[in-house]
Amino acid sequence: MAKRKHGVGFFIGMGFLVLFIALIIWLLCCLTLIFKDDYSDKYMLDKTDDTLITDVFTAALFGSDFDVTEEQLNTYANENYCSTDPDKTNSLEHIRIYFHKDEPSEIYAKIRLYSYELAFYTKAEFSFKDSDNILSIKFSDAKLGELPVPDFILSSILAKISEHQSIISVNGTTLSVKALYEYNIADDYTLTVSLMKFVPQEKCVSCRTNSLTDEALNLLKKYLTSKEGREELKKIFDFETDIDIDNIKNGLYTLFNE
């Protein structure tokens, strides 16, 4: 009877040992896949284009449609949101977005998590509704190195990367970016800049913002029709008068569209 119990204990012990060895092998395989980096030619920029701000501002003056190319957006993202500072434990080091028209876009990146440098890949579906001025990006099929990333881990990674960005929020595997900015010029006078269109195309994204000219002239009209504004006009012209802002607006549009 004692021999039988000894034999059962031996087989149970061997079973645990086999499971432990299998777990170690599985963890080593996972680590090998995680630290594998076959994306360096994907997330490193081969072309740069720093004209994004100029092109956006020019189009935004009158709310015109414009295209943002991959090179423009990737250059801007790398210059403003990436860092190779080794003291930053959770950060982007490189990022590159590939836009597609009829299928999800792709994002390749090199990220630093807890002092480890890792290659990252994910598909990204962009959606935008001008009613709430939020650009949403739903991530799927993510990988760290060559290891598929479960959604709960992907959500944690997104939260870590975006935790210092005030205009970004994360819900599961969906990242939302505020696409409306308000600049307080003076008391009761706020200039609003908002995204009105965001449609991915092949190698670019088609965009439109509100018209900054309209915004500025509306603020001017608000001031000139206020009590304070009328008093200033009276000082300038020495008599009460009205300035037709709508005619000025139409004249500007006619001048720049000729």
Side-chain angles (χ1 to χ4, degrees):
M1 190 74 176
K3 288 183 179 180
R4 182 179 298 175
K5 287 183 178 180
H6 178 73
V8 171
F10 173 77
F11 283 112
I12 292 175
M14 286 298 294
F16 277 113
L17 180 60
V18 170
L19 287 175
F20 178 73
I21 293 173
L23 179 61
I24 294 297
I25 293 174
W26 179 79
L27 287 174
L28 289 174
C29 290
C30 287
L31 288 173
T32 300
L33 291 172
I34 286 175
F35 287 104
K36 191 173 182 181
D37 184 358
D38 292 333
Y39 304 144
S40 60
D41 63 325
K42 295 287 189 178
Y43 59 66
M44 298 296 290
L45 296 183
D46 55 1
K47 293 181 181 179
T48 59
D49 186 342
D50 58 3
T51 61
L52 176 63
I53 299 301
T54 302
D55 286 359
V56 170
F57 180 76
T58 301
L61 279 175
F62 296 103
S64 305
D65 284 7
F66 62 97
D67 290 337
V68 176
T69 66
E70 290 176 348
E71 288 82 6
Q72 287 178 315
L73 186 60
N74 289 326
T75 300
Y76 182 82
N78 276 270
E79 289 179 350
N80 292 275
Y81 296 103
C82 295
S83 172
T84 55
D85 184 351
D87 294 331
K88 290 188 176 182
T89 56
N90 301 305
S91 62
L92 277 171
E93 291 195 352
H94 303 282
I95 187 170
R96 193 170 176 182
I97 302 171
Y98 296 82
F99 289 113
H100 301 300
K101 182 178 181 180
D102 299 320
E103 57 188 40
S105 299
E106 297 175 288
I107 299 176
Y108 292 86
K110 187 175 184 180
I111 63 177
R112 180 182 290 273
L113 286 176
Y114 307 107
S115 300
Y116 295 102
E117 293 182 343
L118 305 172
F120 178 75
Y121 163 80
T122 184
K123 292 181 180 178
E125 292 187 57
F126 292 89
S127 61
F128 175 72
K129 292 183 179 179
D130 58 6
S131 57
D132 53 14
N133 294 109
I134 296 293
L135 174 64
S136 297
I137 312 167
K138 183 175 178 57
F139 297 95
S140 61
D141 298 336
K143 292 181 181 179
L144 272 177
E146 289 296 326
L147 183 71
V149 179
D151 284 352
F152 74 93
I153 295 180
L154 176 58
S155 177
S156 176
I157 292 173
L158 292 174
K160 288 289 184 183
I161 292 174
S162 62
E163 62 185 1
H164 301 302
Q165 306 296 332
S166 60
I167 65 171
I168 298 175
S169 62
V170 174
N171 182 13
T173 60
T174 299
L175 184 147
S176 297
V177 182
K178 181 182 177 183
L180 182 146
Y181 308 95
E182 295 180 330
Y183 299 92
N184 216 7
I185 298 174
D187 291 341
D188 298 325
Y189 295 93
T190 301
L191 180 68
T192 301
V193 181
S194 61
L195 189 65
M196 307 295 290
K197 175 184 175 184
F198 190 97
V199 181
Q201 304 292 330
E202 203 64 33
K203 297 185 179 296
C204 69
V205 58
S206 180
C207 303
R208 186 176 66 251
T209 70
N210 62 327
S211 168
L212 296 184
T213 300
D214 283 357
E215 284 290 319
L217 290 176
N218 286 336
L219 289 177
L220 180 60
K221 183 177 182 179
K222 180 179 178 180
Y223 173 74
L224 292 178
T225 55
S226 68
K227 181 180 178 181
E228 182 182 1
R230 287 182 174 279
E231 289 176 352
E232 288 297 322
L233 283 175
K234 189 174 181 180
K235 290 179 183 177
I236 295 171
F237 295 102
D238 202 30
F239 60 87
E240 288 193 5
T241 185
D242 290 321
I243 295 180
D244 195 332
I245 298 297
D246 291 328
N247 276 343
I248 294 176
K249 182 192 300 184
N250 293 334
L252 286 173
Y253 274 86
T254 300
L255 176 66
F256 282 93
N257 286 326
E258 285 181 348

